Amino acid sequence: MKDFLSPIRLVGPFVKESEFSVKKNESTTSLDVSLNLATKEVELVHENNIYAYEMVLSTEARLLDSQDASKEYLRVYVTVEGAVTVPDTIGITEDELAVSLRLNAISMLYSFTRSYVEYLSSMSQAGRFTLPPIDPNAYVDICNTRNFDQP
């Protein structure tokens, strides 16, 4: 049977910074999410038979009143850092590896952030709040098209 587990490993992630605030919510709300990457270029490090790519990911989400966007009911800001690694025996080019590790780093760190936000919000009067899923490919495309780190 072929092994279906990925050779990619996540080191961390670690929460570097976290802010959370909530106010009582009595109306219908809409969600405004901004996602910011602290790095743009994939810089592979190759040491001890392992490729590694470190990333810092900052995520900010606000829950706003759909009738009056100046009324903010929930705000969360989280910065996490981590690294994805893979053995150098993986057998793909460094260019392909750089793209793959970047996408995996975004996906894994954002997934961790989503869980962290759910944990924080579940202990508040707002109840459990879940960040929406993202498409890491689309996010990277936006970053590359605009030639900077934030869409």
Side-chain angles (χ1 to χ4, degrees):
M1 182 169 119
K2 185 175 174 146
D3 190 0
F4 59 89
L5 297 176
S6 172
I8 295 174
R9 298 291 175 252
L10 178 63
V11 179
F14 307 101
V15 176
K16 289 183 70 167
E17 184 178 356
S18 176
E19 297 174 18
F20 181 81
S21 64
V22 63
K23 296 176 185 168
K24 189 169 180 168
N25 179 3
E26 296 176 357
S27 71
T28 307
T29 56
S30 62
L31 178 65
D32 175 27
V33 177
S34 64
L35 176 65
N36 302 302
L37 289 180
T39 59
K40 179 181 182 293
E41 297 300 321
V42 174
E43 295 181 21
L44 282 179
V45 176
H46 187 204
E47 293 177 350
N48 302 322
N49 300 323
I50 292 186
Y51 285 106
Y53 176 62
E54 293 183 12
M55 178 177 279
V56 176
L57 179 72
S58 297
T59 304
E60 180 181 34
R62 298 181 305 139
L63 195 57
L64 306 173
D65 186 301
S66 60
Q67 305 300 315
D68 182 358
S70 68
K71 293 182 180 176
E72 183 177 87
Y73 293 106
L74 181 143
R75 180 182 178 277
V76 62
Y77 176 82
V78 180
T79 298
V80 298
E81 69 177 328
V84 287
T85 66
V86 68
D88 62 5
T89 57
I90 193 163
I92 62 175
T93 68
E94 281 195 14
D95 289 342
E96 292 172 317
L97 191 57
V99 170
S100 177
L101 289 180
R102 185 176 190 194
L103 290 173
N104 275 278
I106 292 167
S107 182
M108 290 176 175
L109 292 178
Y110 187 70
S111 178
F112 172 80
T113 300
R114 290 182 77 205
S115 296
Y116 182 75
V117 168
E118 283 186 355
Y119 171 74
L120 285 178
S121 64
S122 70
M123 294 183 286
S124 75
Q125 65 184 8
R128 190 180 80 171
F129 173 71
T130 304
L131 292 171
I134 64 165
D135 177 349
N137 283 309
Y139 182 78
V140 168
D141 288 346
I142 290 169
C143 292
N144 290 340
T145 310
R146 294 186 181 178
N147 198 28
F148 61 95
D149 298 336
Q150 303 171 10

